[in-house]
C-alpha cells in the first residue's frame, strides 16, 4: 500500500481517558468525574481519577509517538482544567500543561491535532442544564477562544467536538454516558446545542487562529443496515439514519435538519430550540471532516422475540447482533464498511472538504507475557482498515490521514479499564508502557506506505 505524499499518520487519545490527576493544579470537576463515581455507572466501579497518569508522565508518553513513526497526535483539552467552573476565570496552570504538551510534540517533530471537547463538560454547567441549556453554547465559545489564543500559533488542526452524537444520545438519551440522563427529548435539544456550540466555536476560531490552522469537526457517522430485508426493518434504518447520521451531517453540510427527522420526533419536540441564524452558523465551511469508524450496525423494528436492544434515543429501533467476526467489545469487524462510509460521505456531503480518519481501532483481551503483547488480532484489524482507506482513496475520495485509537490503553468510558484499545499496553499497577505487536506492525506499515518507502 502506498499512500499519497503528506498523508498523515497518527494516534489519538482523550483527556479524561488518560490524564488522571483530577484535582491537580486547580482542575475543576467534569460530568465524567461525577458519573464515574456514581455507583453502577461504570464497569468495575472504575474512574478516571488515576487513569494512565498521563498528566504527570506526558513527556515520556510523547516519546512513544516518534518511536512508532507517527506524524501526528490527536489529543483533547480538558475543559475543567482551563475553566474549572465552566464560566469565568481561566486557570493558567491548566493552559500551561497543554502548552507544554504542544511544545513537546513539536520538539519531537509530531504535529498536534487538538480536540476542544471530548465529553468532559464542567459539572457546574451540567448543574445549570448542561447541553440542554443554550447558555452552554456561549460558555463553549469562550473556552474555544481561550484555547485558540494559547495554542493556535502552534497547532495544525483544531477540532471543535468529538462525536456529538455520543454526547447527546448516550449522555442524555440512553444514559450510558455522563451525565447519565434518559430523556429522548433532552437528547435532541442537546444535539442542537452541541452543533450550535460547534458553529459558534468555528466563528471564534476563524477570528483567532492563524490562517494556516485548520478547523474541523469529528463525527461518528454509522453504517446502518437492515437486519432483514423487510419494509419494517428498512423503515427502522431510515429513522436511525435520520437521528444518528443526517441530523448532524445535514446540519453541518447543508444547513438544514432533515424533514423526516422533524416528523419522526414530533411527539418529543417542536424543535423550537432552533432559532433563526443557528443553522447558518452550524453550516459554516470546514477545512476538514474527522471521521471515527469502528463497525457497521444492523437495525430492526421491534423484534417479536424480544431480541436486540433499543438504539439510543429511540423507542422503536433495535440494534441487532449480526453473525461474523467481532472485537472484544462485541463490535462487528468489517473493514469494507469504512470504504462504504467514506464513499457515502464524499458523495452526499463533503464535496471538496477532505476527510481524515480521526479514530479507528479495536479492543481485544490482551495478554502481557515476557514483556510483550502479541495482539495479532489488533494488528490485522488496523492493517485491514488502513487498506480500506486505501480503497476509498483509489475510488477518488479525498482522505488525508489516519489516526489509530488509541495510543494507550485507557479508561474506556462506561467499560472502565476492562477494555483495552491501545497500540501501547499500560500496566495499571506500575504504569509501565509496552509497545504492542500492533504498534510495531503499524510502525512498519507506515514506513512501507510512504512514497518511496
Ligand atoms: C469512541 C470515542 C473514544 C473511544 C472509542 C473506543 O466513540 O470517541 O473516546 O472511547 O470510541
Amino acid at each position: 500500500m502506498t499512500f499519497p505524499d503528506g498523508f498523515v499518520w497518527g494516534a489519538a487519545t482523550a483527556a479524561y481517558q488518560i490524564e488522571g490527576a483530577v484535582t491537580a493544579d486547580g482542575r475543576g470537576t467534569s460530568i465524567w468525574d461525577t458519573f464515574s463515581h456514581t455507583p453502577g455507572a461504570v464497569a468495575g466501579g472504575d474512574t478516571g481519577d488515576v487513569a494512565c497518569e498521563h498528566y504527570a508522565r506526558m513527556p515520556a508518553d510523547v516519546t512513544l509517538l516518534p518511536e512508532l513513526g507517527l506524524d501526528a497526535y490527536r489529543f483533547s483539552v480538558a475543559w475543567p482544567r482551563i475553566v474549572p467552573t465552566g464560566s469565568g476565570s481561566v486557570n493558567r496552570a491548566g493552559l500551561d500543561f497543554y502548552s507544554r504538551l504542544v511544545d513537546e510534540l513539536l520538539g519531537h517533530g509530531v504535529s498536534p491535532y487538538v480536540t476542544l471537547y471530548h465529553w468532559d463538560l464542567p459539572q457546574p454547567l451540567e448543574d445549570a442544564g448542561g447541553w440542554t441549556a443554550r447558555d452552554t453554547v456561549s460558555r463553549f465559545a469562550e473556552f474555544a477562544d481561550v484555547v485558540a489564543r494559547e495554542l493556535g500559533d502552534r497547532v495544525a488542526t483544531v477540532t471543535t467536538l468529538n462525536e456529538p452524537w455520543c454526547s447527546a444520545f448516550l449522555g442524555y438519551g440512553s444514559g450510558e454516558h455522563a451525565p447519565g440522563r434518559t430523556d429522548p427529548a433532552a437528547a435532541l435539544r442537546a444535539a442542537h446545542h452541541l452543533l450550535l456550540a460547534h458553529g459558534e466555536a468555528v466563528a471564534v476560531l476563524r477570528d483567532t487562529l492563524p490562517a494556516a490552522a485548520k478547523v474541523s469537526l469529528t463525527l461518528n457517522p454509522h453504517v446502518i443496515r437492515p437486519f432483514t430485508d423487510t419494509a419494517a426493518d428498512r423503515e427502522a434504518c431510515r429513522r436511525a439514519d435520520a437521528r444518528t447520521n443526517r441530523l448532524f451531517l445535514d446540519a453541518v453540510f447543508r444547513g438544514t435538519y432533515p424533514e423526516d427527522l422533524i416528523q419522526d420526533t414530533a411527539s418529543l419536540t417542536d424543535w423550537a430550540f432552533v432559532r433563526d441564524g443557528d443553522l447558518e452558523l452550524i453550516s459554516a465551511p470546514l477545512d476538514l471532516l474527522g471521521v471515527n469508524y469502528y463497525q457497521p450496525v444492523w437495525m430492526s423494528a421491534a423484534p417479536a422475540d424480544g431480541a436486540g436492544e433499543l438504539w439510543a434515543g429511540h423507542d422503536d429501533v433495535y440494534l441487532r447482533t449480526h453473525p461474523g467476526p467481532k472485537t472484544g467489545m462485541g463490535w462487528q469487524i468489517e473493514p469494507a464498511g469504512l470504504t462504504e462510509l467514506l464513499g457515502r460521505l464524499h458523495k452526499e456531503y463533503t464535496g471538496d472538504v477532505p476527510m481524515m480518519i480521526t479514530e479507528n481501532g479495536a479492543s481485544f483481551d490482551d495478554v502481557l507475557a515476557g514483556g510483550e503483547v502479541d495482539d495479532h488480532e489488533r494488528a490485522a484489524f488496523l492493517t485491514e482498515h488502513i487498506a480500506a482507506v486505501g480503497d476509498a482513496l483509489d475510488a477518488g475520495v479525498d482522505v488525508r490521514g489516519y489516526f489509530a485509537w488509541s495510543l494507550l490503553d485507557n479508561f474506556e468510558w462506561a467499560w472502565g479499564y476492562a477494555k483495552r484499545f491501545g497500540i501501547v499496553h499500560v500496566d495499571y499497577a506500575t504504569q509501565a508502557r509496552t509497545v504492542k505487536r500492533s504498534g510495531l506492525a503499524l510502525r512498519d506499515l507506515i514506513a512501507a506506505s510512504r512514497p518511496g518507502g
Side-chain angles (χ1 to χ4, degrees):
M1 288 184 277
T2 305
F3 282 77
D5 225 353
F7 191 86
V8 175
W9 296 101
T13 63
Y16 188 71
Q17 296 182 270
I18 62 167
E19 287 178 0
V22 291
T23 56
D25 298 336
R27 179 185 180 278
T29 304
S30 82
I31 54 174
W32 270 98
D33 296 294
T34 308
F35 188 72
S36 66
H37 280 270
T38 305
V42 173
D46 291 346
T47 74
D49 288 3
V50 176
C52 310
E53 285 185 0
H54 171 74
Y55 191 74
R57 296 169 184 273
M58 179 271 285
D61 285 342
V62 166
T63 64
L64 293 165
L65 296 154
E67 203 180 309
L68 293 167
L70 299 171
D71 308 305
Y73 177 54
R74 174 177 181 251
F75 63 93
S76 79
V77 174
W79 187 348
R81 287 200 196 278
I82 309 301
V83 190
T85 58
S87 53
S89 65
V90 170
N91 178 33
R92 186 64 245 172
L95 278 174
D96 285 346
F97 171 74
Y98 296 102
S99 188
R100 284 199 309 275
L101 167 58
V102 165
D103 285 343
E104 286 289 337
L105 291 167
L106 294 174
H108 285 87
V110 176
S111 190
Y113 281 63
V114 180
T115 298
L116 294 174
Y117 187 71
H118 202 128
W119 307 354
D120 41 5
L121 185 72
Q123 182 63 40
L125 294 184
E126 176 56 32
D127 297 340
W131 287 112
T132 68
R134 195 174 167 101
D135 194 52
T136 300
V137 172
S138 312
R139 302 292 79 77
F140 181 70
E142 289 162 8
F143 162 62
D145 186 54
V146 171
V147 176
R149 279 177 203 285
E150 179 71 23
L151 307 180
D153 58 330
R154 289 167 286 158
V155 299
T157 298
V158 178
T159 301
T160 55
L161 308 177
N162 176 71
E163 300 188 355
W165 177 82
C166 292
S167 302
F169 289 95
L170 303 182
Y172 294 82
S174 71
E176 282 162 68
H177 282 184
R181 286 165 66 176
T182 50
D183 174 351
L188 293 166
R189 210 182 155 86
H192 177 64
H193 290 148
L194 281 150
L195 282 164
L196 186 59
H198 157 75
E200 290 214 359
V202 169
V204 162
L205 295 172
R206 294 286 181 212
D207 272 355
T208 312
L209 292 175
K214 299 209 183 320
V215 175
S216 78
L217 165 70
T218 281
L219 297 176
N220 59 327
H222 284 63
V223 174
I224 297 173
R225 299 188 179 142
F227 185 64
T228 66
D229 190 25
T230 56
D233 285 5
R234 284 196 301 272
E235 166 63 6
C237 289
R238 182 201 57 72
R239 286 198 297 269
D241 184 52
R243 217 173 297 191
T244 310
N245 295 332
R246 290 184 281 117
L247 186 165
F248 299 92
L249 291 162
D250 283 22
V252 170
F253 289 99
R254 300 180 182 165
T256 58
Y257 284 123
E259 262 314 308
D260 59 336
L261 169 71
I262 310 278
Q263 280 164 25
D264 293 345
T265 54
S267 65
L268 296 172
T269 175
D270 59 6
W271 291 76
F273 47 76
V274 183
R275 300 197 192 153
D276 283 353
D278 285 2
L279 281 154
E280 232 172 280
L281 272 171
I282 293 170
S283 60
L286 290 176
D287 300 317
L288 184 75
L289 177 69
V291 176
N292 293 354
Y293 173 82
Y294 290 91
Q295 60 160 345
V297 286
W298 279 263
M299 307 255 177
S300 76
D305 59 0
E309 50 181 283
L310 264 181
W311 184 238
H314 293 263
D315 59 11
D316 53 1
V317 176
Y318 289 78
L319 176 67
R320 305 297 298 273
T321 304
H322 188 80
K326 311 239 181 347
T327 70
M329 298 290 281
W331 293 354
Q332 200 81 22
I333 302 178
E334 203 207 278
L338 177 53
T339 315
E340 176 186 327
L341 176 63
L342 291 168
R344 177 190 182 190
L345 294 171
H346 176 66
K347 183 158 159 264
E348 296 181 28
Y349 291 103
T350 54
D352 292 340
V353 178
M355 289 182 270
M356 275 197 186
I357 307 306
T358 39
E359 287 180 26
N360 173 242
S363 155
F364 290 105
D365 295 333
D366 297 327
V367 181
L368 175 66
E372 288 179 12
V373 178
D374 184 10
D375 59 336
H376 52 272
E377 289 166 296
R378 184 177 294 102
F381 183 100
L382 297 176
T383 306
E384 288 162 14
H385 284 76
I386 289 167
V389 175
D391 291 343
L393 282 163
D394 289 346
V397 181
D398 187 358
V399 189
R400 302 280 175 93
Y402 174 94
F403 288 74
W405 181 271
S406 175
L407 177 66
L408 302 170
D409 289 336
N410 59 47
F411 175 80
E412 178 43 40
W413 308 115
W415 293 92
Y417 301 100
K419 302 293 179 191
R420 294 175 178 271
F421 276 87
I423 53 176
V424 176
H425 180 270
V426 175
D427 180 336
Y428 294 110
T430 63
Q431 292 294 347
R433 276 54 165 156
T434 306
V435 176
K436 300 180 192 177
R437 174 164 157 183
S438 60
L440 300 173
L442 182 63
R443 181 198 64 191
D444 295 347
L445 184 155
I446 293 169
S449 75
R450 307 231 191 241

